Amino acid sequence: MIDLLSGYAIFSLSTVLVFVALATLLHLQFGLAGIVNFGVVGFWGLGMYAFGILLLNFQLPYFVALILAVAIVALVAFVLGWVVLDLDSQAQLVATLAFAAVIADLVTTEKWLTKGVVGLGTVPHPFGGAQSALWLLLILLVLTVGVIVYARLLGRSPFGRLLAAIRDNEVLARNLGKDTSRAKLIFFTLTSAGMGLFGALSAPVRQFLTPDLLGPGVTFSVWIALIVGGKRWPLGGLLGVLLTIFVFDFLIETYLRVPSDWAQIIPILKLMLYGVTLVLVLLFRPFGLLGDRRQPTSHL
Amino acid sequence: MLKLNAVSSGYGDVTILKEIDLDVGGEVFAVLGSNGAGKSTLMKAVAGLLRSQGGTISFEGRDVTRTAPNKLAEMGLAIVPQEGNIFPDLTVRENLSLGALVGTRPRKARMDEVFDLFPDLVPRIDQKAGSLSGGEAQMVAVGRALVQEPRLLLLDEPTTGLSPKYASSLFRKIREIHEQRRIGILLAEQNAVKALEIADRVLVLSLGAIFLNEPAKGIDFDRVRAGYHI
Ligand SMILES: Nc1ncnc2c1ncn2[C@@H]1O[C@H](COP(=O)(O)OP(=O)(O)OP(=O)(O)O)[C@@H](O)[C@H]1O
Ligand SMILES: [Mg+2]
């Protein structure tokens, strides 16, 4: 037990949980509502840095800083969504990708605020004591399960059906009596703020924040996980992350004794295997390993 | 119920409909005309899907010239467009239940009425609408609009692609719906003979203008036909 939950194991499991949450939020945005968000790391990283800055530079109380950080992400998502959500998916892709790149750039260059590549100070765990990392893991577990449950319930609700209708035939959806642009904007703001929340909570997981955390690799990992697991399925994100990120970042790196001269090869191997997996999935199971199964529809 | 006053509309800078005046009561109002006459453009203009280029539209006494389509749906107007009138990736059940985003009566009761009207849909309830036959898909499209319980229903060539048997039965059902629910129906149609069988009033569009607007009863068919050959 002690060995199983070593400090590094807790760190890795926390990271995996964050990825599960991000992939599930992306399922909501893309799989359910058809919004193309290639700026996952931007919302996540903004939440993380905003929280760290409010906590360390401005000395705000822990939970005040957390709530404020999420509010900042929500505001940014609202403005970005307002501009791009009614454009086509290519425009959404480019705009969100660019947004994430801007966030990474700002974090690197605005040294007065972020200390740039030197790194922001150390973000403490929410609760002190010997088990503080474990507490954080538990919080992440509860919140991640919460996101999955929300995804499940939403798919069966009228609002969820409206989002699916918008994804499927937006022109027709405008005749259903609901403001489709508003529905998308509210939903995008909410789910992106969710990514920001998990970013903020990643700050104490990472503890020491540096700009290199904000590379596009985060976004790609989340997308690959979702596509492997099944974009239409609330559990698709979970399954995909378990098969990709969990296997590599947790099982292999934590428990597999690899010769030290392999250490450099593993990340490259990981990317190659991700790529191969993605190609195989797209070829043989285009809707992910969970197939074309969607949530059962509302039972009347 | 629906009044158009010198309505001009079209796409971008192109004007298709030219100063249309129209008064639709709680009747079956057929809009006829050959391909490209502007039937669909008229339907889209009424449903708020096109930018107005002039004139005014009122629905039940309220000016709706610049009202968004979702607001019109809330006010009691439903449209079955000629194309893209279903959600192909959603099931029959989901398609129909989307009609219940407006209105207050229980969703189940409203959907059951549609299944009574189109019993062929019952075995297809959990099938994706995109995998239905053309006729079944049209039933889903009309059914979804009926679940909305509109006071004015816009049907744009609902029988396109249907076999004559299906088409006749759908026309009969349209009349039936009108009589049961006392709602207004604006029906765009190619087939003048079929439309005249169920319509109270007939409008023939030609090149975006009104060629003829008369009661269906005792209408001179040659004059209707003339509207197709300009
Ligand atoms: N999206 C569009 N953009 C530009 N022009 C259009 C568009 N849709 C239709 N038109 C033009 O408007 C005119 C009228 O088209 P409309 O679709 O209203 O005809 P219709 O009477 O419905 O014909 P049909 O019986 O073939 O459906 C046509 O000349 C057509 O080329
Ligand atoms: Mg047409």
Side-chain angles (χ1 to χ4, degrees), chain A residues 158 161-162 164-169 171-179 232 292 294-295 297-300, chain B residues 49 69-70 73-74 79 81 84-91 93-94 97-98 101-102 107 111 128 144 148:
Chain A
R161 269 196 302 266
L162 175 67
I166 294 171
R167 176 197 75 221
D168 205 19
N169 185 345
V171 180
L172 188 61
R174 293 174 65 206
N175 297 300
L176 296 173
K178 299 287 167 203
D179 186 334
R232 292 285 168 81
D292 194 13
R294 294 170 313 135
Q295 347 183 9
T297 54
S298 61
H299 293 285
L300 298 171
Chain B
L49 296 167
N70 58 300
E74 249 174 49
I79 180 172
N85 54 21
I86 54 162
F87 299 96
D89 204 26
L90 305 186
T91 64
R93 188 203 305 269
E94 287 168 320
S97 70
L98 282 165
L101 291 175
V102 291
R107 179 176 64 195
M111 289 173 61
K128 281 191 180 189
R144 187 264 312 152
Q148 288 181 235

Side-chain angles (χ1 to χ4, degrees), chain B:
Chain B
M1 172 173 255
L2 177 77
K3 278 199 175 72
L4 276 67
N5 187 1
V7 168
S8 295
S9 194
Y11 307 91
D13 292 336
V14 183
T15 302
I16 304 290
L17 292 179
K18 297 164 197 101
E19 310 209 354
I20 300 284
D21 292 309
L22 209 60
D23 193 342
V24 183
E27 59 201 333
V28 177
F29 196 115
V31 178
L32 307 179
S34 57
N35 289 118
K39 302 182 294 297
S40 297
T41 308
L42 176 63
M43 306 296 257
K44 286 186 251 179
V46 170
L49 296 167
L50 299 177
R51 206 168 47 83
S52 164
Q53 297 179 346
T56 56
I57 305 176
S58 72
F59 179 54
E60 296 189 324
R62 289 162 71 184
D63 180 23
V64 293
T65 313
R66 282 180 177 73
T67 302
N70 58 300
K71 286 273 178 280
L72 282 162
E74 249 174 49
M75 291 170 65
L77 185 144
I79 180 172
V80 177
Q82 185 172 7
E83 273 156 10
N85 54 21
I86 54 162
F87 299 96
D89 204 26
L90 305 186
T91 64
V92 169
R93 188 203 305 269
E94 287 168 320
N95 266 271
L96 295 180
S97 70
L98 282 165
L101 291 175
V102 291
T104 49
R105 274 184 61 224
R107 179 176 64 195
K108 187 178 181 329
R110 296 198 249 168
M111 289 173 61
D112 282 347
E113 282 163 23
V114 169
F115 287 122
D116 286 344
L117 192 64
F118 300 123
D120 292 1
L121 290 182
V122 174
R124 306 258 172 257
I125 188 160
D126 285 316
Q127 195 172 323
K128 281 191 180 189
S131 68
L132 297 173
S133 79
E136 290 163 345
Q138 287 293 350
M139 292 180 213
V140 170
V142 175
R144 187 264 312 152
L146 287 175
V147 172
Q148 288 181 235
E149 302 205 307
R151 286 188 297 286
L152 179 64
L153 175 60
L154 274 52
L155 298 170
D156 194 348
E157 303 201 30
T159 58
T160 313
L162 297 199
S163 66
K165 180 176 140 278
Y166 260 141
S168 305
S169 116
L170 186 57
F171 269 116
R172 271 198 309 279
K173 283 188 171 146
I174 290 168
R175 187 73 213 178
E176 212 177 292
I177 291 160
H178 163 73
E179 265 149 31
Q180 278 171 7
R181 306 193 174 192
R182 309 310 311 168
I183 62 175
I185 293 178
L186 191 59
L187 170 74
E189 184 52 55
Q190 280 279 337
N191 187 331
V193 181
K194 287 272 174 230
L196 281 169
E197 282 172 16
I198 63 161
D200 299 306
R201 202 172 174 87
V202 179
L203 175 88
V204 180
L205 279 180
S206 178
L207 300 173
I210 293 179
F211 178 79
L212 171 159
N213 178 358
E214 283 175 18
K217 209 167 184 162
I219 198 167
D220 176 0
F221 198 74
D222 286 336
R223 293 194 44 233
V224 173
R225 195 176 294 147
Y228 282 71
H229 298 289
I230 290 191

